């Protein structure tokens, strides 16, 4: 009898094939396997599966359920009236810049190394002459107590607890002195908008120095206000106005309105009171005639570290460093000024190469679009020395006050630790451009 062997089959039979009728497989039927026999379940088997958790409705339990910054954003949207939420969440015109900034972090490929010892991950880094426990700080944001009543106090205290810098905005809703008193052990920075009234600007600089701020961050991308159309459509004013629309909106968010109405009215780091639209405030106070000569004046006036925020070209990065800046913040103002502006993440490699070519040790800081710790690690790998978050921490603030900001920082830290470990690096200094590849479209 001729034996038939299937080609390439290593398990082909070695014995003559039995062609007799009625031959059956010798595999055991499911019912003959003890573990697969059906039976009536015992209570002892069911008991471990019936340990139902008691429902938790506290703010702490709600925040613990947030696994991402996007989760915090969803919570923030449910708890905050539309006008202040949109002020935070929105951007200029068609919001193309913000969308592209976030997409930039999605359009990458990480390149991990294997068989590295990543049992301990160290996220500490040096920024502007001091150590930071994490490679991220809190960016300046205006009208912060409008988003949630704890505002700048929650942000500065959470930053101090996390061992990272906090930046108070000129348009912040707490004074320089009050923020310093609320977080006396924190590393406090002050962000400056140069006004047409130079004496008022000088007064702010002197107050910041006296309060112990070691870094001055001057923002240079607000010659005029951007067209933030969500604010226009919402009739956004400072302070929020009670209209039929806002009253109806408040009925769904009573906790926000209760906090807003029962705390001290909004005041500012730079002026006592203001009533009007955000755009009108910017256009009436900020100086559209600024030049590099004004940067020279700032460098002579401020004795601490000087950082310029709003850099959007390689050439401007080099120029502000030539005029005395200790660092540059690659930023398009979170997409809130010029729509279709350059994306800071895309700008990073060019700025890094240019400053290296100039033998400059100026710090490169990046903001705009960061929504995860993986975004931060990608930015560091491509050349950033440090990053800053605005919306990401404000979502936490709106979701749960100080505890929400703590949770936002905790989420980012866990993201960073996990991403670093999976990349095969244990320290920030080990990150290189080889760890990230920009995907072409």
């Amino acid at each position: 009898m001729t034996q038939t062997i299937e080609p390439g089959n290593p398990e082909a039979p070695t014995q003559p094939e039995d062609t007799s009728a009625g031959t059956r497989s010798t595999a055991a039927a499911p019912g003959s396997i003890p573990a697969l026999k059906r039976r009536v379940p015992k209570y002892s088997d069911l008991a471990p599966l019936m340990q139902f958790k008691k429902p938790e409705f506290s703010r702490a339990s709600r925040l613990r359920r947030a696994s991402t910054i996007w989760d915090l954003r969803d919570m923030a949207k449910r708890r905050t009236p539309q006008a202040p939420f949109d002020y935070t969440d929105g951007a200029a015109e068609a919001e193309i810049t913000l969308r592209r900034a976030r997409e930039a972090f999605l359009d990458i490929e990480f390149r991990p190394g294997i068989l590295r010892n990543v049992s301990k991950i160290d996220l500490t880094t040096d920024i502007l002459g001091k150590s930071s426990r994490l490679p991220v700080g809190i960016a300046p944001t205006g009208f912060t107590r409008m988003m949630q009543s704890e505002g700048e106090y929650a942000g500065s205290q959470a930053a101090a607890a996390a061992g990272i810098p906090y930046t108070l905005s000129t348009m912040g809703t707490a004074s320089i002195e009050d923020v310093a008193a609320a977080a006396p052990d924190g590393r406090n920075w002050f962000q400056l908008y140069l006004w047409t009234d130079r004496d008022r600007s000088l007064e702010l600089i002197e107050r910041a120095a006296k309060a112990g701020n070691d870094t001055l961050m001057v923002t240079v991308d607000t010659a005029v206000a951007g067209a933030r159309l969500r604010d226009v459509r919402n009739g956004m004013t400072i302070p929020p106005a009670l209209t039929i629309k806002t009253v109806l909106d408040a009925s769904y968010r009573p906790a926000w309105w209760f906090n807003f109405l029962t705390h001290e009215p909004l005041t500012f780091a730079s002026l006592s009171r203001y009533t009007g639209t955000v755009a009108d405030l910017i256009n009436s106070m900020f100086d559209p005639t600024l030049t590099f000569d004004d940067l020279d004046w700032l460098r002579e006036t401020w004795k601490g570290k000087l950082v310029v925020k709003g850099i959007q070209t390689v050439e401007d990065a080099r120029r502000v460093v030539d005029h005395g800046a200790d660092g540059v913040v690659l930023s398009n103002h979170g997409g809130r000024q010029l729509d279709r502006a350059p994306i800071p993440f895309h700008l990073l490699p060019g700025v890094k190469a240019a400053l290296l070519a100039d033998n400059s040790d100026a710090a490169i800081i990046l903001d705009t679009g960061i929504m995860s710790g993986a975004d931060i690690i990608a930015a560091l790998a491509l050349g950033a020395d440090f990053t800053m978050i605005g919306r990401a921490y404000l979502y936490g603030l709106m979701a749960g006050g100080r505890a929400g900001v703590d949770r936002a920082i905790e989420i980012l830290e866990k993201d960073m630790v996990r991403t670093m470990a999976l990349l095969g690096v244990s320290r920030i200094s080990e990150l290189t451009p080889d760890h990230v590849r920009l995907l072409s479209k």
Side-chain angles (χ1 to χ4, degrees):
M1 179 184 297
T2 302
Q3 180 179 357
T4 303
I5 301 177
E6 295 293 333
N9 180 1
E11 299 181 0
T14 57
Q15 300 298 324
E17 190 175 25
D18 184 358
T19 57
S20 61
T23 301
R24 295 183 179 180
S25 170
T26 59
S32 65
I33 300 174
L36 298 182
K37 288 183 178 180
R38 295 192 182 277
R39 61 186 179 83
V40 176
K42 300 176 182 178
Y43 176 78
S44 59
D45 297 330
L46 295 175
L49 306 177
M50 299 174 65
Q51 297 179 10
F52 301 110
K53 292 184 177 180
K54 182 180 179 181
E56 294 182 302
F57 302 102
S58 67
R59 181 174 68 176
S61 62
R62 184 177 68 248
L63 291 172
R64 281 196 301 270
R65 291 194 291 271
S67 299
T68 67
I69 299 299
W70 291 105
D71 290 341
L72 291 176
R73 179 186 178 275
D74 290 342
M75 293 180 184
K77 188 172 185 178
R78 291 194 297 268
R79 299 179 63 81
T80 311
Q82 183 176 350
F85 177 82
D86 278 353
Y87 176 80
T88 301
D89 194 60
E93 300 180 45
E95 303 188 359
I96 295 170
T97 299
L98 176 58
R99 189 161 57 249
R100 287 177 177 172
R102 287 177 172 163
E103 288 173 353
F105 287 106
L106 301 179
D107 294 334
I108 66 167
E109 177 183 86
F110 280 121
R111 312 296 294 274
I114 60 170
L115 298 176
R116 273 73 163 180
N117 182 355
V118 290
S119 58
K120 294 182 180 180
I121 304 297
D122 183 4
L123 291 173
T124 60
T125 191
D126 290 331
I127 182 67
L128 298 171
K130 294 186 178 180
S131 177
S132 178
R133 195 178 69 83
L134 303 173
V136 60
I138 290 183
T141 57
F143 317 123
T144 314
R145 286 183 55 234
M146 180 178 64
M147 288 58 153
Q148 203 271 353
S149 57
E150 296 177 53
E152 288 84 1
Y153 304 113
S156 60
Q157 290 175 341
I164 63 176
Y166 173 82
T167 313
L168 174 65
S169 169
T170 297
M171 307 314 298
T173 43
S175 72
I176 299 170
E177 294 78 11
D178 286 350
V179 169
D185 299 323
R187 186 179 184 189
N188 294 317
W189 296 356
F190 183 68
Q191 176 269 337
L192 178 72
Y193 286 114
L194 277 173
W195 298 353
T196 51
D197 185 344
R198 283 293 185 273
D199 289 338
R200 296 292 299 279
S201 296
L202 182 59
E203 177 188 347
L204 286 175
I205 293 170
E206 292 172 345
R207 286 171 58 191
K210 186 176 180 180
N213 291 254
D214 64 72
T215 297
L216 183 70
M217 181 183 294
V218 58
T219 298
V220 295
D221 58 4
T222 51
V224 296
R228 303 170 191 176
L229 299 184
R230 290 204 216 181
D231 295 347
V232 174
R233 293 166 186 144
N234 289 329
M236 173 69 176
T237 61
I238 306 297
L242 286 173
T243 64
I244 292 177
K245 181 178 179 181
T246 56
V247 169
L248 290 174
D249 197 29
S251 66
Y252 298 99
R253 299 158 178 95
W256 185 93
W257 279 104
F258 177 77
N259 284 333
F260 181 79
L261 295 173
T262 58
H263 286 88
E264 180 184 345
L266 297 185
T267 55
F268 299 87
S270 53
L271 66 160
S272 57
R273 292 287 165 85
Y274 177 81
T275 300
T277 68
V278 177
D280 288 343
L281 176 59
I282 292 174
N283 289 333
S284 66
M285 294 179 60
F286 298 170
D287 189 351
T289 69
L290 293 179
T291 68
F292 284 92
D293 291 338
D294 297 288
L295 193 58
D296 292 336
W297 174 78
L298 270 178
R299 180 67 284 178
E300 293 175 3
T301 304
W302 177 258
K303 304 309 178 184
K305 298 293 184 180
L306 178 64
V307 174
V308 179
K309 180 177 182 287
I311 300 301
Q312 298 174 69
T313 69
V314 173
E315 179 58 28
D316 280 346
R318 301 177 83 163
R319 289 191 70 186
V320 297
V321 171
D322 288 342
H323 282 262
D326 298 298
V328 296
V329 182
L330 307 185
S331 170
N332 54 38
H333 215 101
R336 297 163 65 79
Q337 285 295 102
L338 175 67
D339 208 9
R340 300 180 180 85
I343 304 305
F345 186 67
H346 291 160
L347 194 61
L348 255 178
V351 171
K352 183 71 172 181
L355 295 186
L356 284 175
D358 292 345
N359 294 316
S360 171
D361 61 356
I364 300 175
I365 303 171
L366 179 137
D367 77 3
T368 303
I370 292 173
M371 289 290 284
S372 74
D375 297 342
I376 295 171
I377 296 303
L380 298 173
L382 282 188
D385 296 299
F386 201 67
T387 62
M388 305 202 80
I389 52 168
R391 288 182 180 90
Y393 104 87
L394 290 177
Y395 293 141
L397 176 68
M398 291 185 286
R402 160 69 194 279
V405 182
D406 289 335
R407 183 58 179 157
I409 296 171
E410 181 182 17
I411 288 171
L412 294 175
E413 181 175 3
K414 288 183 176 180
D415 286 351
M416 286 187 277
V417 168
R418 181 177 58 252
T419 303
M420 293 267 287
L422 292 174
L423 282 175
V425 295
S426 58
R427 292 184 295 275
I428 298 296
S429 59
E430 295 174 3
L431 289 168
T432 73
D434 291 338
H435 288 108
V436 176
R437 183 168 75 92
L438 300 178
L439 300 177
S440 57
K441 292 187 175 181

